[in-house]
Amino acid sequence: MTMVETVKELKKIESKAEREYKVLLKKLKDSEYADLRVLILRMAVDTILHRRIVEALEKAYKDALKLVEDFGYGEEIELPEDAPRLQVSQDVVLIPGMPAMVLAPYGPLGSRIPPEEALRELLKNMPEDVVIPEEKLEELRKFLSEFTELSEGMKGNYKKLERKAIHPILRAFAREAARNEEQPAALLERLLEKYGK
C-alpha cells in the first residue's frame, strides 16, 4: 500500500469512526450518561481532528502533484528537477518534491535543518554562468526579502500556537511546523547573500 493509499484508508476509517461516535452520542442523551457522553464526545472531537488532518494531507498531496507537474520540469529531464517524479513513482515521500535532493552526508533536504557547510555546498553547486538581467535580479531580491519576512512570521506564529495549544497533536504540529520553517529561513538567508549584492 502506497503512502497516499494509506492516507486515503485513514480518512475512510476516521470518517466511519466519526459517524459511529455520533450515533452513540445520540443514544447517550439522558443525564445518567453524562460522564460517559463527555468521554465519548472527547474521543469524537479527536476523531474529527484526525480526519481533517488526513484530509489536509490528501489535498496537499494533490496540490503538490499539480505544482510539480506545472513547474517541476523543463522540456528535457534535468536533475534534481526530475527527483519529484521519481519520488512519486517510487513512493519515497507522500508530498512530492519533499525532499527533492539529498545533501550528503546530511541526508535528505527537508528532513532536518542542514548545517551551514551543507547550505554553502548546495549554493556553491548552483551554476554561476547564468546571467540574470538587473531588472530580474532586483525582482528576485524583492521576492527573497518578502519570503524571508513571511517565513519569520510563520515561525513566530507557530511557536505562539505551540505555547497556547492544549491538544498534543496540535502542539506537536505547531512545534514541528516552526522547526520546519527554520530550513527555508536558512536557505533564504543564503540566497539573499548570493543574490543580494
Side-chain angles (χ1 to χ4, degrees), residues 16-141:
K16 182 177 182 193
E18 182 183 340
R19 285 190 305 273
E20 295 300 324
Y21 279 129
K22 287 177 181 176
V23 167
L24 181 57
L25 285 166
K26 286 178 186 174
K27 293 179 180 182
L28 299 175
K29 286 195 173 189
D30 295 338
S31 58
E32 66 261 26
Y33 301 124
D35 290 342
L36 180 58
R37 188 173 58 246
V38 168
L39 183 61
I40 300 297
L41 184 62
R42 168 72 166 102
M43 293 188 299
V45 169
D46 273 359
T47 300
I48 289 169
L49 178 62
H50 298 169
R51 178 177 58 87
R52 291 298 188 189
I53 289 170
V54 293
E55 284 175 350
L57 280 174
E58 184 181 35
K59 180 159 180 18
Y61 171 78
K62 289 175 183 173
D63 290 351
L65 271 183
K66 173 125 179 62
L67 193 67
V68 166
E69 286 303 319
D70 289 349
F71 301 107
Y73 311 112
E75 294 299 315
E76 300 170 16
I77 293 178
E78 5 172 347
L79 292 174
E81 286 79 7
D82 194 48
R85 182 179 294 154
L86 295 174
Q87 293 167 357
V88 171
S89 66
Q90 296 172 359
D91 196 38
V92 176
V93 293
L94 177 63
I95 307 298
M98 295 294 295
M101 58 183 74
V102 174
L103 295 175
Y106 309 107
L109 185 64
S111 63
R112 63 185 176 123
I113 305 157
E116 294 295 315
E117 55 271 18
L119 290 174
R120 278 195 294 276
E121 189 68 25
L122 173 67
L123 295 176
K124 185 178 83 174
N125 290 331
M126 290 178 76
E128 291 291 333
D129 57 351
V130 176
V131 178
I132 301 175
E134 190 56 41
E135 64 275 5
K136 291 282 186 192
L137 192 56
E138 196 54 45
E139 193 176 7
L140 177 62
R141 288 179 189 134

